[in-house]
Amino acid sequence: MHKSLDVIFKPQSVAVIGASTRPGSLGRNLFDKMLAADFNGPIYPVHPAAKYVHSVKAYPTILEVPGAVDLAVIVVPRDQVLPTVEQCAQKGVKGLVVITAGFKETGADGAAREQALAEIIKARNMRMVGPNCMGVMCTDPQVRLDATFAGAYPPTGKIAFASQSGALGVTILDYAGSLNLGVSMFVSLGNKTDISGNDLLEYWKEDESAGVILMYLESFGNPRKFVQLAREVSRRKPIVIVKSGRTEGGARAVSSHTGAIAGTDLAYDALFTQCGVLRANTIEEMFDFAMGLANQPLPRGDRVAIVTNAGGPAIMATDACESLGLRLAQFAPETRQRLRARLLPEASVANPVDLLPAANEDDYQFTLEQILQDVNVDALIVISVPPISADAIKVAQRISAVAEKSDKTVLGCFMGVKGLASAAELQKQAVPAFSFPESAARALAAMVRYAQWRQRKTGDFPAFAVRREVAAEIIAGAKKSGREQLTDWEAFQILTAYGIPSVGTKICRHLDEILEAAHQLGYPVVLKVSSPEVIHKSEIGGVQLDLRSDVDLGQAYHKLIVRLQAAGIPPERVQFLVQHMVEGGREVLLGINAIPAFGAVIAFGLGGIYVEALQDLALRVTPLTAQDAEDMVESIRGLAILQGVRGEKPVAFSKLHETILRISQLAQDFPEIGEMDINPFLLFHEPEQCAAADARIRISA
Amino acid sequence: MHKSLDVIFKPQSVAVIGASTRPGSLGRNLFDKMLAADFNGPIYPVHPAAKYVHSVKAYPTILEVPGAVDLAVIVVPRDQVLPTVEQCAQKGVKGLVVITAGFKETGADGAAREQALAEIIKARNMRMVGPNCMGVMCTDPQVRLDATFAGAYPPTGKIAFASQSGALGVTILDYAGSLNLGVSMFVSLGNKTDISGNDLLEYWKEDESAGVILMYLESFGNPRKFVQLAREVSRRKPIVIVKSGRTEGGARAVSSHTGAIAGTDLAYDALFTQCGVLRANTIEEMFDFAMGLANQPLPRGDRVAIVTNAGGPAIMATDACESLGLRLAQFAPETRQRLRARLLPEASVANPVDLLPAANEDDYQFTLEQILQDVNVDALIVISVPPISADAIKVAQRISAVAEKSDKTVLGCFMGVKGLASAAELQKQAVPAFSFPESAARALAAMVRYAQWRQRKTGDFPAFAVRREVAAEIIAGAKKSGREQLTDWEAFQILTAYGIPSVGTKICRHLDEILEAAHQLGYPVVLKVSSPEVIHKSEIGGVQLDLRSDVDLGQAYHKLIVRLQAAGIPPERVQFLVQHMVEGGREVLLGINAIPAFGAVIAFGLGGIYVEALQDLALRVTPLTAQDAEDMVESIRGLAILQGVRGEKPVAFSKLHETILRISQLAQDFPEIGEMDINPFLLFHEPEQCAAADARIRISA
């Protein structure tokens, strides 16, 4: 399927429909820019009246254009878009870029127009970028396509960039050029009526020229497909995404902007983490990541060396590295000895290495060579404030020369406006030069995170032997009787069918059965009312805890009967759950939440009021790999509580991981589960003691 | 005292001792820069042999210089510094800037040299910046002093800037110039042998030309004095601080760099919060804050309006504002109506207002005028990506013109490299122009935080009537017997003396007294071994909980006797605490920690294992104002638990605040309290139920 996108990004002939003779107009800018980029094929301007546009012969419609046309770029007024596209179809054009705005972003009329456009595209087997976009670029020297009406044509390079905001996209191209960050392709996605971010991921996965994928997105059409695709693509090349609309207000702004509804931000975080995507919070951060990823090898580990000619920036780099989870490398004794023998006595030869302001290019070269060959070092941040006596350009050249010979990650930081010239020199040689030490640290931390993700085993989606039919029957039964909420007994049966342990539970009707159950389970027990009519048991006081004898249990039973009668519920329609009461253990929450477009999201967190208030929750989008399950457990702030505080033994983590994966399987098998809460699930050191103590399941209508 | 600093920053005559004839040397750079800045008075080069330096008559020593010299800038080799300073004293010079390095930063010899230097300065009643620094600047047109050997001379403006890192300071001056951010004074602090950050705060407090104080610091000599000073200064003008050495590694790097030991970072956070200081985490953030504070009025509230000509950046601005705690303003209906009547139908007139790419300078002007007169708006972020049809410079001029007429905060964001020219235009008119929407949001959030701090009542340090002599006697007794750890009974007595409630507690020796105590307190009770020999009661099982009758209590007593004997502790040397056992309530931790140089730091957090693992703790440096106590309670993540989850009533916050203030008073009265832990302090809805259930106090040696 993706091959068909070549007609858009690597066309051999292009028509610009709506090319204009009026300087400054979109149609003219577009045509002029395409011409200026020296497109490697004929460009045909289409204009209803003009004989030529910018000295190139024009045609009244696409149908008059001689020879084949791969790509039509459309900038006609919105009411002419549909007939124009029809003509393109007649002409046999397979690729479209529709710049024209006035579609779903403008309301109901526009949405209808967009729907009609989508139908033509589909019927005529065409592919389209837009509408309501700023165009596309491909810097491949064999192509040289600039089909945008604004923004600088960037240097050729590894960055493949898609933006859901045209203006931001063009702005970013500007910066990319100024940072000497080469671009392979740029796509302004517009309304994503046909070609979406997912289509581009698929295309760029196979495209050798795309080395680093950057995306600015405000919404996802199909997050489930994204997860699948991104997992595959991230194995080959890094994906960096800015997903805006993170906050409630931001999401409102998105929805008025492109008509798409922003999803839950936490779920996006989960989704990106799972598929190795680096999420950047700002455009600035996206550039930091991209400069590192596009220019330098991935670090083999997280041990950083810092070299500087000024103390202050090195301290700031150290602070930033450590707070981002990187470790400061401990040099081998030989490294320190060699540095000591050569550098000034006042220089610090421990990490960070301070060469002092008097350092020249030879000092930098010697020091970098020593450090890069130290096996305890995975990556290097080299800082330079404009030196007093040395030539900053020479320092930059030496740094580049040493970095080029090493397969370790080297990032530069040239401080100050005066550092800009030397920064440019450094970047020419593919050593990224940041203006602030924190940016270098941020880039490195992202590279380490991505490298670690790549090094991990792919992870399959474990399948456990379960009794799916048991769950299917219970769910079908509830649906049939029009119930959304399953009873707790039904919920426990489903858990059991999926191998999720629960505390000993029996369902009973009469007191004699209840007492018998208690004897089998062993005291102390809990007695609960179980009835579809009583969803919130606590409201009628329908739970009796810590019953330690037949007498206790009998009294509790009679108390419940009285309460049921008081609530107008005939006791004969009610059943009772008897549960062994488990004491101690750590309470956690395990759950399923169906989020529109994402599918089922698995939740894990500590139980109890503390965590409810502290919102310490990890989410993952199904299906989960074993690695996902481990990651989500490790990502909560309160992990230490499960590892054992005050000398306790850790909980049975492998049992917890398995339970999470079984829940993922349940969620996958039954997309109709809208919500499931196991709260608490009790964790102990002994795996066989771990068990669900309460469970609720809601079926979506 | 501060007036004497005028001889350094506003001298009428300067000598440069160590001025050099050799181009490129420090001594030559320094002299040339000072000359180039057109210092408003005579500059005397002092050189042992040269007849002149850069065409100015030179003198062999300071003693030969004709007429008075206010300030001597010293760049001689390190071994000549002391004799040179002696000569300066003879000459009657009162101000010194010592550039020369080779003092405490280089080890023991250097430290001795620095000590000798300090003694001369003190004895001769001189003031000194440095040694080991990059110099000072004062851009006052009446002064025009540039006594630095590197870095650009910045435009005159409001920023007073002190840096403990010379290189970083010079780099920052560079940026300041490029951002059109005017500077009033710059001080490279060096080793801070005489003049410290605190001295500058005191000086700048009264100095009209200093409108915004920026500091880059790696260590604090006297944090207690800083708190006092900064509280006063922040009432008049904002202080922005970058304090590096935040992480363990960073602190190590600091200590090898300037010989100062970095303190506890959390305590610094507390200290800055208390005195209205804005802490910036990076140099970049410091500039963001400074650009806002130096150019625009403080916002009256936190309601932000956003105006843009492109959707993407507005969404990012919204995300950033909301995640920084700012609120998006809700416009008055009239504002929306007026915008609707004028703007394109596709434009969004809700906040954020999207003028669409076609917007020109008239649209910006009209929209900004409407929004700035809306009473629901406190501040405005105006975003522009380079417009397609309009002139970006004109847009910038109109934004400036509207902003100038308003007393509300207006911040600009001009995206893209092409935005730089219009950004410069905007900044000329004192509207800061940021490159990214997040930077504008960060600056605004800092301004709001500072404005809120300024609006708060000053807050006094409440003094409660306490029985100080009771505590004094107990502490004296412990000291006398050589004990660091007070017994729990002693600790409870001190709490009582300071009006800090504790659960009913009695001290007893024999079983009959114990039973009598239990009857008075009421069952259930807790029985605890109390003896200086048993510090960790839990180790010998010395605490018996939930005793509900005389029988329970008697058994528990005998169990403890057996355990004491087993541990080799003669029971007759031991006393017992009987405590009423309080059930329910929220457990919090209250404590005192003496941190070197800071004095006593008060700690507050939720109790129990959850919070121990989650490290949810608030600190404040004594003395605390009532506002500090409220702030620290509000700042913990788990606040919701105290406010009441699942429909519970809130705890008695006023009682909690009062208790914190009483603890602060105790810490102030007895600096020898090295550590106090009240854990748990139990909080209830009813103030009179709140009480300490356990307390430990350690006296510092």
Side-chain angles (χ1 to χ4, degrees), chain A residues 59 70 128-129 151 330 403 491 683:
Chain A
Y59 302 86
D70 286 342
M128 173 179 70
V129 169
Q330 298 282 342
L683 288 170

Side-chain angles (χ1 to χ4, degrees), chain A residues 346-586:
Chain A
E346 294 85 8
S348 161
V349 298
N351 193 10
V353 176
D354 188 348
L355 302 174
L356 303 180
N360 64 18
E361 60 270 23
D362 295 331
D363 299 325
Y364 268 99
Q365 177 176 346
F366 176 81
T367 305
L368 265 56
E369 281 170 352
Q370 301 313 313
I371 287 175
L372 286 174
Q373 70 188 33
D374 189 322
V375 292
N376 303 305
V377 172
D378 299 312
L380 172 69
I381 294 177
V382 51
I383 299 169
S384 173
V385 301
I388 299 155
S389 32
D391 179 340
I393 299 287
K394 280 192 192 146
V395 169
Q397 285 165 342
R398 291 294 181 85
I399 295 173
S400 312
V402 180
E404 209 176 354
K405 278 188 231 127
S406 170
D407 58 354
K408 294 184 178 174
T409 319
V410 179
L411 304 180
C413 171
F414 276 60
M415 305 279 295
V417 175
K418 287 206 187 127
L420 288 180
S422 34
E425 181 65 31
L426 198 57
Q427 275 171 179
K428 264 191 242 161
Q429 312 303 326
V431 179
F434 300 92
S435 301
F436 294 102
E438 294 84 7
S439 309
R442 255 193 320 245
L444 185 58
M447 292 173 82
V448 167
R449 218 155 60 233
Y450 175 62
Q452 284 169 343
W453 187 89
R454 282 262 293 246
Q455 282 159 16
R456 279 171 12 184
K457 36 187 197 307
T458 317
D460 45 8
F461 306 107
F464 299 92
V466 297
R467 283 178 298 133
R468 182 175 174 158
E469 68 290 354
V470 174
E473 197 179 314
I474 293 171
I475 291 171
K479 280 185 185 164
K480 208 167 155 188
S481 60
R483 283 185 294 129
E484 284 200 0
Q485 195 71 39
L486 302 190
T487 65
D488 38 16
W489 178 243
E490 288 170 332
F492 277 118
Q493 282 178 291
I494 289 178
L495 296 192
T496 306
Y498 270 75
I500 299 160
S502 48
V503 300
T505 303
K506 297 200 173 273
I507 189 148
C508 317
R509 195 167 287 274
H510 304 296
L511 182 57
D512 50 348
E513 284 169 32
I514 291 171
L515 290 168
E516 171 68 22
H519 296 161
Q520 285 175 14
L521 295 168
Y523 283 112
V525 298
V526 179
L527 182 66
K528 297 177 178 176
V529 168
S530 177
S531 154
E533 294 172 68
V534 188
I535 291 173
H536 296 291
K537 291 185 283 282
S538 58
E539 278 173 21
I540 65 153
V543 178
Q544 299 287 307
L545 294 168
D546 200 13
L547 309 171
R548 294 179 171 269
S549 64
D550 286 6
V551 176
D552 277 5
L553 186 52
Q555 285 173 349
Y557 170 78
H558 290 296
K559 204 184 279 177
L560 289 182
I561 294 293
V562 171
R563 287 185 184 166
L564 286 166
Q565 285 167 334
I569 301 168
E572 60 277 15
R573 293 231 302 266
V574 170
Q575 292 184 296
F576 294 89
L577 288 192
V578 184
Q579 280 190 316
H580 180 64
M581 185 165 141
V582 179
E583 287 168 290
R586 291 282 169 233

Side-chain angles (χ1 to χ4, degrees), chain A residues 220-303:
Chain A
F220 276 79
N222 188 346
R224 290 171 76 97
K225 188 170 171 207
F226 173 84
V227 174
Q228 219 175 44
L229 266 170
R231 269 198 222 256
E232 292 166 25
V233 178
S234 294
R235 290 269 151 211
R236 301 193 192 178
K237 48 189 87 175
I239 305 173
V240 181
I241 289 191
V242 173
K243 163 72 182 71
S244 71
R246 282 182 291 131
T247 59
E248 207 188 314
R252 260 201 320 276
V254 168
S255 98
S256 78
H257 177 44
T258 55
I261 306 296
T264 308
D265 194 62
L266 269 184
Y268 279 113
D269 262 342
L271 184 147
F272 295 143
T273 306
Q274 277 173 274
C275 44
V277 168
L278 294 168
R279 183 178 196 171
N281 286 316
T282 65
I283 298 296
E284 209 177 349
E285 211 170 73
M286 181 172 93
F287 279 117
D288 290 342
F289 295 180
M291 280 172 67
L293 291 163
N295 290 305
Q296 283 288 304
L298 289 177
R300 268 173 293 187
D302 61 358
R303 299 166 305 169

Side-chain angles (χ1 to χ4, degrees), chain A residues 624-648:
Chain A
L624 269 63
T625 64
Q627 184 78 51
D628 288 334
E630 287 173 33
D631 284 352
M632 83 187 292
V633 171
E634 270 167 32
S635 72
I636 62 165
R637 290 199 300 267
L639 176 64
I641 291 167
L642 304 183
Q643 288 169 330
V645 284
R646 300 182 182 172
E648 298 162 335

Side-chain angles (χ1 to χ4, degrees), chain B residues 15 31 43 61 90 148 178 184 203 296 321 388 398 440 577 618 629 654 676 687:
Chain B
F31 187 80
I43 314 173
T61 75
Q90 280 177 46
T148 65
S178 79
S184 116
Y203 184 67
Q296 284 288 303
C321 284
I388 299 154
R398 292 294 181 85
L577 288 192
S654 59
M676 175 171 97

Side-chain angles (χ1 to χ4, degrees), chain B residues 200-211:
Chain B
L200 293 173
L201 275 187
E202 216 162 347
Y203 184 67
W204 285 335
K205 180 176 146 194
E206 308 291 341
D207 181 26
E208 295 286 319
S209 75

